[in-house]
Amino acid sequence: MTCDNAALITPSIVLEGCIQLVSIQPHILIRNAGLHTLSIKVEQPTQSRAGNHSKIMLPATFKLCCGISHQHFKTTSGLKNTAVVATTRKLRRMLTEEKCVPNTIDSLAQKDIFCQAFRVEEEKMKINSTLNTEELFYIKQGKEALQTARDILKQDDGWTTEIKMENGDTVVSKVLPGIGKVFKLEVVLDATTEQVYSELHEKVDKISSWNPSVKSIQILQKISNKTMVTYEMMGDTAGNIIGHRDFVSIRHCSKEGSCCYLARIATESKLMPPQKGFIRAETGPSCIILRPASNNKKKTQFTWLLSLDLKGWLPKAIINQGLSQAQVDFAEHLRLQLSANSSTTSS
């Protein structure tokens, strides 16, 4: 391991000959001195500034290290775990011997912030190494749709009631610039979030078996357990204004704690060009949120944000009425399916 300025090096640790970590203090100098060399040199802060500086600089320093050493870690077997262990040991030694910002060091070590950072980097490397450009683009589309939908659902003002059922099911709507009219359904389902998730994501191609509004759903491309490209044909049932429409969509799933997000947005796929006899409609940023009901963990609070551009020449008044009713009908068909599954399981 070499460095072009030896005066910058203080007592350090060497991780499998690839990374050199010097005492972590606020003023940082990062050097990529060679293909497998990473050096960090910092100056000793004054006592009054140490705490505030370190809270900012320690996480920033480590993230920068991860970025610089990304390609090295990707090709060096066993380095990540060694780096985490050695870094943590060094920090604890600094706490004991140097008394360097003890509160910050101890907090970072206890919360395993370094382990978490490496796990994130490792997951990203796994994804990037196995997916092509098109697949990465689909994942990006799905994540962006999810974020847009979540931002919309955070808006509490400006919603207009479209339908309010006796059982508490409610559909509200709102007009958004650049998107158009969106609809939000709120219901409580007598099933766990895992059961609802299974029906809507894991068995998405079986939805047509219990929802008469859908003629078929085909998985065109399964990118991962979280992301897929689907082709959906709407059923030509009585009163279904979406009949003779089809959709090509990205479906992306994300789980955060006890909540599950099922996002969807229109995309294009060479595997399914426009079909004769169907109008290719488009799904705007849409999302279903599943979370345990507050008063009963065996029930699910179901929130569905729906944004559709049906194309064609249908009057807006008919579209608005049809889409809100379609959400209510969907909830009822979903209830029947969940109930049938529950009866089958119990018997």
Side-chain angles (χ1 to χ4, degrees):
M1 181 175 299
T2 61
C3 183
D4 55 356
N5 191 340
L8 294 174
I9 303 301
T10 61
S12 59
I13 55 174
V14 178
L15 312 179
E16 293 191 4
C18 294
I19 292 183
Q20 188 174 50
L21 173 64
V22 238
S23 296
I24 303 178
Q25 299 160 0
H27 185 187
I28 304 171
L29 175 61
I30 303 292
R31 291 184 182 277
N32 194 0
L35 182 60
H36 297 295
T37 302
L38 178 63
S39 299
I40 306 174
K41 171 62 179 70
V42 289
E43 295 175 358
Q44 176 68 35
T46 61
Q47 186 64 28
S48 61
R49 299 175 58 193
N52 292 334
H53 257 101
S54 302
K55 290 179 181 178
I56 300 173
M57 298 307 297
L58 277 173
T61 300
F62 193 75
K63 289 179 181 179
L64 184 55
C65 292
C66 287
I68 295 175
S69 60
H70 175 83
Q71 291 300 322
H72 308 330
F73 275 32
K74 186 175 180 179
T75 57
T76 308
S77 175
L79 176 58
K80 290 179 285 294
N81 290 338
T82 305
V84 170
V85 173
T87 302
T88 304
R89 287 176 179 172
K90 176 63 177 177
L91 288 174
R92 292 190 183 282
R93 190 179 305 119
M94 290 168 63
L95 172 61
T96 303
E97 299 176 0
E98 302 180 23
K99 304 297 182 183
C100 176
V101 287
N103 292 334
T104 301
I105 296 293
D106 191 52
S107 175
L108 291 173
Q110 289 180 4
K111 293 180 180 179
D112 292 329
I113 188 172
F114 298 111
C115 294
Q116 293 172 18
F118 274 113
R119 290 190 193 105
V120 171
E121 288 298 312
E122 186 173 30
E123 186 65 25
K124 288 180 180 179
M125 287 188 288
K126 286 180 180 178
I127 293 175
N128 293 337
S129 63
T130 58
L131 301 179
N132 59 40
T133 303
E134 181 184 58
E135 291 169 330
L136 290 172
F137 175 73
Y138 284 145
I139 292 176
K140 181 173 180 289
Q141 268 192 306
K143 289 181 177 181
E144 289 177 348
L146 173 58
Q147 186 58 54
T148 300
R150 291 182 66 172
D151 290 342
I152 295 172
L153 290 170
K154 290 177 182 177
Q155 301 177 21
D156 296 326
D157 300 329
W159 296 94
T160 302
T161 300
E162 298 280 345
I163 297 177
K164 190 172 182 61
M165 306 291 289
E166 291 183 0
N167 63 357
D169 293 1
T170 305
V171 179
V172 296
S173 66
K174 185 175 185 176
V175 178
L176 299 172
I179 295 178
K181 196 163 191 176
V182 297
F183 299 83
K184 180 174 67 172
L185 170 71
E186 293 274 8
V187 306
V188 176
L189 300 173
D190 192 14
T192 65
T193 56
E194 290 79 10
Q195 291 170 320
V196 182
Y197 167 78
S198 176
E199 290 293 338
L200 300 183
H201 188 76
E202 293 178 343
K203 298 187 286 188
V204 65
D205 54 341
K206 302 294 191 298
I207 289 179
S208 59
S209 66
W210 51 265
N211 183 5
S213 295
V214 179
K215 186 175 182 179
S216 68
I217 296 181
Q218 176 185 353
I219 299 176
L220 299 178
Q221 194 172 350
K222 188 168 184 178
I223 300 168
S224 68
N225 290 332
K226 295 182 178 181
T227 309
M228 65 183 82
V229 182
T230 61
Y231 174 65
E232 182 173 348
M233 298 173 63
M234 305 310 298
D236 191 15
T237 57
N240 181 17
I241 64 167
I242 314 178
H244 298 292
R245 260 74 176 172
D246 63 358
F247 302 82
V248 175
S249 308
I250 287 289
R251 294 174 184 263
H252 179 73
C253 168
S254 176
K255 293 185 177 181
E256 294 182 10
S258 59
C259 292
C260 180
Y261 300 87
L262 306 176
R264 180 183 170 197
I265 195 167
T267 192
E268 295 181 357
S269 173
K270 58 186 177 184
L271 300 176
M272 189 57 65
Q275 302 294 295
K276 185 177 181 180
F278 284 86
I279 298 174
R280 180 60 53 86
E282 294 183 356
T283 305
S286 302
C287 182
I288 291 174
I289 302 179
L290 310 174
R291 59 170 66 89
S294 57
N295 59 343
N296 190 339
K297 301 304 180 182
K298 293 184 178 180
K299 294 186 177 183
T300 298
Q301 180 67 46
F302 178 98
T303 304
W304 179 15
L305 178 73
L306 176 65
S307 172
L308 288 181
D309 183 355
L310 296 178
K311 307 297 185 179
W313 297 95
L314 291 172
K316 287 187 177 180
I318 295 178
I319 292 176
N320 294 340
Q321 180 180 357
L323 290 180
S324 56
Q325 185 61 49
Q327 285 189 296
V328 172
D329 293 343
F330 176 87
E332 190 57 32
H333 292 309
L334 178 56
R335 281 193 178 100
L336 293 173
Q337 174 65 11
L338 292 168
S339 177
N341 285 346
S342 178
S343 299
T344 302
T345 303
S346 60
S347 61

